[in-house]
Amino acid sequence: MSSIGHIIKSERINQSMKQTTLAKGICSTSYLSKIENNLTVPSEEVITFLLKKLNIEIDHVSTEKENKVLASLSELYKMGVLKRDKKFIRESLKKITNQKLHFLQLNNYYSYHLYLFRLLLILDDKEDNLQSVYNVILKIGDDMDEKQRFIKNLNLGIYSYLEGDSQVALSRLEMSLNLVNSGINEEWEIADFYNVLSLTYSKCNEFFNAINYASKSLLYYKDNLLFERAIDNYIVIGIAYKELRKFREAEKNYNLARKLAIDYKLINYEEVIYQNLGSLFAIQGNHEKAIMFYKLSLTIKEEDCNAERYLLTILSIIKEYSKQSDHQQVLKWCQKGLDKILEGKSSAKEYISYFYHLEIYKHYHNLTDELEMVLREAIGYFENEHDERHVQKYSILLADYLFIHHKFKAASLYYQKANQILFKQKFIYKWEDL
């Protein structure tokens, strides 16, 4: 079966053209709809007129050439998933996509867009036309084979995960669970699926499942010397054990990850591991050790010029000093963070969330009258960003502040806001269910 209908539809959508506009003078809108949904086979004349109106040309290449290009993309898909080398993926994709080849074999058309979408997700680069490929993936019909359905659910699960909708991601991924061991997937694909699934379970607070699937994935990565992916699994397992308050097991897995990172000089992973070790000791109330690991992470981050990761660690250090009511150190590190935001080409707008975090801690430890105003403004910002964790956190802080200053009505409103988020987190609607 030909994919020409899908090609016409995706090109029309990319050009923001209505069906009525494209069909005018060529065919009826209802007939165009049937063409786009592969419900009819149009004449060559109709196809020619539609393509001309869309200003695209399609070379009729052999199935052999389509298969050859698809084989190259499939190999890139495997290498991209396992190695995550963004520079290599970007350069290789240019060679493939520069051919301007439209896959006319429907099965090849599906596979091409499924592979391409995952690679664009790894690049996480807006200029790579991720949204247009996403729109194509959504429109792919039910006539896919099992392997394509598996990859589609995996890809859409990753997309939802990256968009911050972990529950939707999990429901998508679980659709493919019964296809994992059906004989359609290679070992590396199963390991990758379990890796993604473990991350999603962790985000959904299903920590036993996170450990289970990360451990399965880890076996393949260790056996095949894929140390970066193995580190990913150790970190997921460590985070899950930390949340289960099994701190010794968490530290053990972080240290296994740390050993691999040091042995194979994976410096970017060292900074992540130190950050997680800091978090592990922070939750145990060991401020000194937490700060020590955060500073180790920061030392590496000072060299890689990533302002966002740098600010994350600055904020982590501030929290530890804040817990100890060390006002001097909090203010010192707040200023360090604010200086980082304002230096060079970085702007307060680009890192606005960190700007609010730092301003809140600065005014809280300076005991200024501006704290209430800063908190109200920050809560409004985080509400717009759908960042419920920080809305809840700062609503509690503001409610306490208002209560202390005898503004009881205003305090009750913010306590209520924090409670509403608590109910949502626990999937309950009535106080009786607590």
Side-chain angles (χ1 to χ4, degrees):
M1 186 180 288
S2 172
S3 66
I4 191 66
H6 290 295
I7 293 171
I8 289 169
K9 186 173 186 175
S10 62
E11 288 291 339
R12 177 180 61 77
I13 291 171
N14 286 343
Q15 295 179 35
S16 302
M17 188 185 295
K18 293 181 179 179
Q19 280 187 328
T20 51
T21 305
L22 178 57
K24 189 174 181 180
I26 301 173
C27 61
S28 67
T29 305
S30 60
Y31 189 65
L32 174 59
S33 182
K34 287 180 180 180
I35 293 171
E36 290 188 342
N37 290 289
N38 272 16
L39 298 176
T40 188
V41 180
S43 67
E44 286 295 324
E45 186 180 25
V46 170
I47 291 173
T48 301
F49 281 129
L50 291 172
L51 295 178
K52 187 176 180 180
K53 201 163 186 178
L54 288 166
N55 197 29
I56 61 170
E57 292 183 9
I58 293 180
D59 295 327
H60 289 264
V61 298
S62 65
T63 301
E64 183 182 356
K65 183 176 180 181
E66 281 195 14
N67 291 339
K68 187 176 179 181
V69 174
L70 192 64
S72 298
L73 184 61
S74 176
E75 186 59 30
L76 176 59
Y77 170 70
K78 178 179 179 179
M79 292 297 294
V81 167
L82 293 179
K83 298 292 185 179
R84 313 284 171 87
D85 185 336
K86 292 187 177 184
K87 183 180 178 183
F88 173 75
I89 293 171
R90 190 171 281 109
E91 289 175 354
S92 301
L93 267 184
K94 281 180 182 177
K95 294 176 185 176
I96 294 172
T97 56
N98 277 348
Q99 297 181 59
K100 301 293 182 185
L101 180 65
H102 292 276
F103 286 82
L104 293 175
Q105 299 297 316
L106 191 59
N107 197 57
N108 287 345
Y109 175 86
Y110 287 163
S111 294
Y112 173 82
H113 284 91
L114 289 167
Y115 294 150
L116 178 61
F117 187 55
R118 178 64 186 278
L119 292 168
L120 293 177
L121 285 170
I122 293 170
L123 291 177
D124 191 25
D125 196 336
K126 293 178 182 177
E127 71 182 37
D128 284 312
N129 214 12
L130 177 64
Q131 196 61 40
S132 64
V133 181
Y134 171 69
N135 291 333
V136 171
I137 298 295
L138 287 181
K139 301 296 186 298
I140 288 178
D142 297 327
D143 49 349
M144 293 178 293
D145 59 34
E146 280 194 349
K147 180 66 170 283
Q148 289 167 339
R149 284 204 303 275
F150 175 83
I151 298 174
K152 178 181 178 180
N153 288 326
L154 172 59
N155 284 349
L156 291 177
I158 295 170
Y159 181 84
S160 294
Y161 178 91
L162 294 174
E163 289 291 299
D165 202 335
S166 302
Q167 289 296 333
V168 171
L170 186 57
S171 66
R172 269 291 179 184
L173 293 171
E174 287 182 335
M175 287 181 190
S176 283
L177 264 175
N178 62 329
L179 297 172
V180 174
N181 296 308
S182 61
I184 59 172
N185 298 302
E186 297 179 47
E187 279 188 90
W188 72 267
E189 292 174 291
I190 296 172
D192 171 58
F193 177 75
Y194 285 155
N195 185 27
V196 174
L197 192 58
S198 68
L199 280 166
T200 311
Y201 273 128
S202 183
K203 279 286 184 182
C204 293
N205 299 327
E206 296 189 30
F207 300 115
F208 287 111
N209 278 331
I211 292 167
N212 177 33
Y213 286 105
S215 299
K216 288 180 179 182
S217 183
L218 179 61
L219 289 174
Y220 175 84
Y221 292 139
K222 283 170 62 181
D223 288 346
N224 290 274
L225 309 181
L226 294 162
F227 300 120
E228 292 181 68
R229 303 287 74 78
I231 290 171
D232 288 339
N233 289 141
Y234 279 130
I235 292 172
V236 171
I237 294 169
I239 290 170
Y241 275 125
K242 182 191 79 171
E243 295 299 328
L244 291 169
R245 305 193 75 78
K246 295 187 176 182
F247 301 130
R248 190 173 296 177
E249 287 296 322
E251 187 177 359
K252 173 186 169 184
N253 279 277
Y254 287 148
N255 282 328
L256 286 168
R258 182 184 177 188
K259 185 177 187 307
L260 283 178
I262 291 171
D263 287 349
Y264 295 96
K265 296 180 173 57
L266 302 171
I267 296 173
N268 288 340
Y269 277 94
E270 282 189 66
E271 68 176 58
V272 175
I273 295 161
Y274 288 137
Q275 180 73 28
N276 278 284
L277 280 165
S279 175
L280 176 63
F281 286 104
I283 202 173
Q284 296 176 76
N286 190 333
H287 309 301
E288 187 177 339
K289 248 189 168 179
I291 291 170
M292 178 193 78
F293 280 116
Y294 286 143
K295 287 182 177 179
L296 284 172
S297 181
L298 195 67
T299 300
I300 299 170
K301 288 170 181 174
E302 284 173 339
E303 297 173 6
D304 70 8
C305 302
N306 187 302
E308 187 171 359
R309 292 202 296 267
Y310 181 90
L311 289 167
L312 171 65
T313 304
I314 289 280
L315 185 59
S316 300
I317 293 169
I318 289 168
K319 288 177 183 178
E320 291 311 297
Y321 283 124
S322 181
K323 291 175 190 175
Q324 301 173 78
S325 299
D326 190 333
H327 308 304
Q328 186 178 349
Q329 286 294 334
V330 168
L331 295 174
K332 169 191 165 183
W333 285 91
C334 280
Q335 192 56 52
K336 196 175 177 73
L338 291 168
D339 289 343
K340 185 68 176 180
I341 289 172
L342 296 173
E343 77 177 20
K345 295 182 180 179
S346 298
S347 66
K349 186 176 181 182
E350 189 178 355
Y351 301 109
I352 190 70
S353 61
Y354 286 103
F355 177 79
Y356 278 122
H357 294 315
L358 296 170
E359 283 291 298
I360 287 168
Y361 278 99
K362 184 177 81 172
H363 287 286
Y364 179 74
H365 285 272
N366 253 334
L367 302 174
T368 69
D369 294 332
E370 295 176 32
L371 178 61
E372 180 181 345
M373 179 193 71
V374 171
L375 280 168
R376 286 181 185 272
E377 193 176 320
I379 290 167
Y381 167 79
F382 289 117
E383 282 181 323
N384 287 333
E385 294 295 305
H386 307 290
D387 184 346
E388 292 185 336
R389 182 166 76 92
H390 287 109
V391 172
Q392 183 184 38
K393 176 177 180 174
Y394 294 134
S395 290
I396 292 170
L397 179 59
L398 179 54
D400 288 345
Y401 176 87
L402 293 167
F403 186 85
I404 290 169
H405 289 81
H406 307 291
K407 298 179 180 180
F408 303 120
K409 185 176 180 180
S412 68
L413 293 174
Y414 282 97
Y415 281 131
Q416 187 178 28
K417 189 186 288 288
N419 276 335
Q420 286 170 347
I421 295 172
L422 173 65
F423 276 33
K424 187 175 179 182
Q425 289 168 341
K426 291 183 172 290
F427 304 102
I428 60 175
Y429 301 97
K430 301 290 184 181
W431 63 267
E432 290 92 343
D433 296 320
L434 280 168

